[in-house]
């Protein structure tokens, strides 16, 4: 079928809209008409380093839309269902069988190969030239995409599409890191390094759990938004001594910290600031180097986190419940852009002008 898709055609190149062809769904696939798609920093980072041999490529992994058709083996969804799209898992490996699909042993093949697991691609240019896709089992920067049951969650049809889209990655990552990984008791102090969409989602989750939370963020607008969302305090790392300030604000150091930046200097600050027996959750992608001595002498726990340890079929409905209760005001994070303005939306994300750009389809 003829669709419209945002292609990246050169390493680090822009998103450009083109007509493309999308195959009909196979037995285990679901055809979704995309209504909105969030832009995540993973999309922006991956287009910079994506191998030339797997270009052109369609990214996008925070999609939402309407099911238009399903393959014969699909049983959980039917045409007309409103869905939230998320990461794909195999549902059969040791980690998936243990209820930890975020750590699926086949995650790279299913989410970041640029093809289906068998090496084929359902996308092509109108002249038949192959186009790579299946990013996170979806490639949602398109008017339509193919998904599977493992990464497609039915949601209520009355929710605004622009608020549903980020649930499948950034929001479930931030909220899940607090609620599923750290599980702080009320009164536990948290520090969140980086107040982007993941960090601010973590702030909202901490507030919902009655935990004092301090946001460390260089951009003034984002510090102000963190305060508006309920952060107890904010720190400007450009003007404040972060470690002493955190220790002072939390009565000796936070019990838990979340790093969304992946930057070695920031991770080191978190390690230095944490109180004894504290826990650091690493969410940001980067090369983190830090002094191990305080980790040892303070008995710190350092935990890597993927997708907030979320089981999407469970996590997405929980997030919707928090939103309906007013404890997850997603509208404060989202700025809508037309699909045609995808490159402008990407630039707004890179410069920090907006927290979560969401593309809305015509």
């Amino acid at each position: 079928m003829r669709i419209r898709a945002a292609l990246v055609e050169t390493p680090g190149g822009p998103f450009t809209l083109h007509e493309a062809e999308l195959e009909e769904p196979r037995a285990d696939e679901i055809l979704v008409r995309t209504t909105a798609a969030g832009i995540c920093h993973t999309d922006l980072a991956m287009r910079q380093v994506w191998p030339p041999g797997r270009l052109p490529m369609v990214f996008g992994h925070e999609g939402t839309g309407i099911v238009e058709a399903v393959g014969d083996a699909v049983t959980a969804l039917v045409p007309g269902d409103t869905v939230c799209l998320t990461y794909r898992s195999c549902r059969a490996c040791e980690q998936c069988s243990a209820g930890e699909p975020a750590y699926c042993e086949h995650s790279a093949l299913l989410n970041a190969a640029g093809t289906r697991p068998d090496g084929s691609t359902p996308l092509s240019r109108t002249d038949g030239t192959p186009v790579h896709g299946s990013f996170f089992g979806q490639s949602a920067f398109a008017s339509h995409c193919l998904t599977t049951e493992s990464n497609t969650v039915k949601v209520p049809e009355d929710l605004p599409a622009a608020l549903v889209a980020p649930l499948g990655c950034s929001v479930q990552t931030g909220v899940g890191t607090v609620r599923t990984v750290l599980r702080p008791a009320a009164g536990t102090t948290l520090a969140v390094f980086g107040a982007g969409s993941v960090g601010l989602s973590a702030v909202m989750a901490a507030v919902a759990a009655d935990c004092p939370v301090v946001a460390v963020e260089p951009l003034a607008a984002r510090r102000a938004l963190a305060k508006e969302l309920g952060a107890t305090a904010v720190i400007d790392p450009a003007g404040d001594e972060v470690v002493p300030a955190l220790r002072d604000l939390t009565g000796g150091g936070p019990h838990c910290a979340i790093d969304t930046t992946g930057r070695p200097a920031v991770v080191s600050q978190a390690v230095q600031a944490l109180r004894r027996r504290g826990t650091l959750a690493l969410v940001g992608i980067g090369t983190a180097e830090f002094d191990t001595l305080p980790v040892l002498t303070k008995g710190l726990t350092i935990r890597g986190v993927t997708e907030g340890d979320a089981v999407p079929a469970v996590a997405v409905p929980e997030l919707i419940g928090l939103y309906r209760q007013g404890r997850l005001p997603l509208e404060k994070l989202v700025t809508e852009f037309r699909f045609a303005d995808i490159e402008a939306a990407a630039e707004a994300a890179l410069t920090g002008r907006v927290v979560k750009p969401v593309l809305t389809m015509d």
Side-chain angles (χ1 to χ4, degrees):
M1 65 178 293
R2 186 66 56 89
I3 68 168
R4 193 132 174 99
L7 272 59
V8 173
E9 302 184 82
T10 58
F15 297 108
T16 55
L17 295 188
H18 297 268
E19 289 191 338
E21 293 291 335
L22 180 66
E23 292 180 1
E24 295 299 315
R26 292 181 174 180
D28 63 340
E29 292 178 335
I30 301 160
L31 174 64
V32 176
R33 175 173 59 83
T34 311
T35 54
I39 294 181
C40 177
H41 277 281
T42 300
D43 298 304
L44 304 179
M46 291 302 288
R47 75 166 172 174
Q48 296 298 123
V49 300
W50 200 254
R54 284 185 274 166
L55 293 171
M57 175 69 184
V58 180
F59 292 99
H61 66 284
E62 288 187 342
T64 185
I66 310 296
V67 174
E68 290 204 336
V70 300
D72 292 341
V74 175
T75 60
L77 295 159
V78 297
D81 284 344
T82 301
V83 293
C84 174
L85 310 182
T86 182
Y87 69 89
R88 187 177 176 185
S89 59
C90 77
R91 293 182 159 183
C93 70
E94 181 180 357
Q95 293 302 319
C96 288
S97 298
E100 299 290 350
Y103 303 99
C104 174
E105 294 168 12
H106 305 288
S107 179
L109 177 64
L110 295 174
N111 294 283
T115 64
R116 294 181 174 113
D118 66 2
S120 67
T121 175
L123 289 161
S124 63
R125 294 185 187 271
T126 55
D127 65 2
T129 306
V131 170
H132 293 269
S134 300
F135 193 57
F136 280 64
Q138 49 180 289
S139 284
F141 291 165
S143 62
H144 296 74
C145 61
L146 292 177
T147 70
T148 65
E149 285 187 314
S150 75
N151 68 318
T152 308
V153 181
K154 184 177 178 179
V155 298
E157 62 182 19
D158 65 314
L159 294 170
L163 302 187
V164 174
L167 299 181
C169 185
S170 57
V171 176
Q172 77 177 5
T173 297
V175 174
T177 301
V178 175
R179 290 170 60 90
T180 304
V181 177
L182 297 176
R183 299 183 180 183
T188 300
T189 54
L190 277 77
V192 176
F193 291 80
S197 57
V198 173
L200 290 172
S201 295
V203 167
M204 291 188 285
V207 172
D210 296 321
C211 294
V213 55
V214 180
V216 183
E217 167 59 46
L219 295 179
R222 294 189 177 187
R223 292 197 302 273
L225 182 53
K227 287 284 287 183
E228 182 181 344
L229 293 171
T232 310
V234 295
I235 294 173
D236 178 2
D240 300 318
E241 290 291 333
V242 173
V243 173
L246 267 176
R247 288 175 176 167
D248 181 60
L249 289 167
T250 59
H255 297 89
C256 302
I258 301 170
D259 174 66
T260 71
T261 73
R263 297 177 180 174
V266 177
V267 174
S268 181
Q269 289 174 337
V271 168
Q272 294 293 334
L274 279 165
R275 67 178 63 198
R276 292 178 182 274
R277 304 281 290 171
T279 299
L280 170 60
L282 298 177
V283 177
I285 299 172
T287 304
E289 300 174 358
F290 50 87
D291 184 359
T292 60
L293 182 60
V295 178
L296 301 176
T297 58
K298 293 197 290 184
L300 301 182
T301 297
I302 297 179
R303 169 74 147 78
V305 181
T306 295
E307 294 285 351
D309 279 19
V311 179
V314 176
V316 170
E318 289 180 349
L319 295 171
I320 291 170
L322 288 172
Y323 166 73
R324 291 201 190 278
Q325 295 164 20
R327 295 197 288 170
L328 198 64
L330 299 170
E331 68 280 358
K332 295 183 182 295
L333 307 186
V334 167
T335 301
E336 295 185 38
F337 291 80
R338 295 185 312 136
F339 185 36
D341 297 327
I342 182 172
E343 188 59 25
E347 183 64 21
L350 287 169
T351 59
R353 184 167 60 84
V354 303
V355 174
K356 171 56 65 175
V358 175
L359 307 170
T360 54
M361 307 303 177
D362 296 334

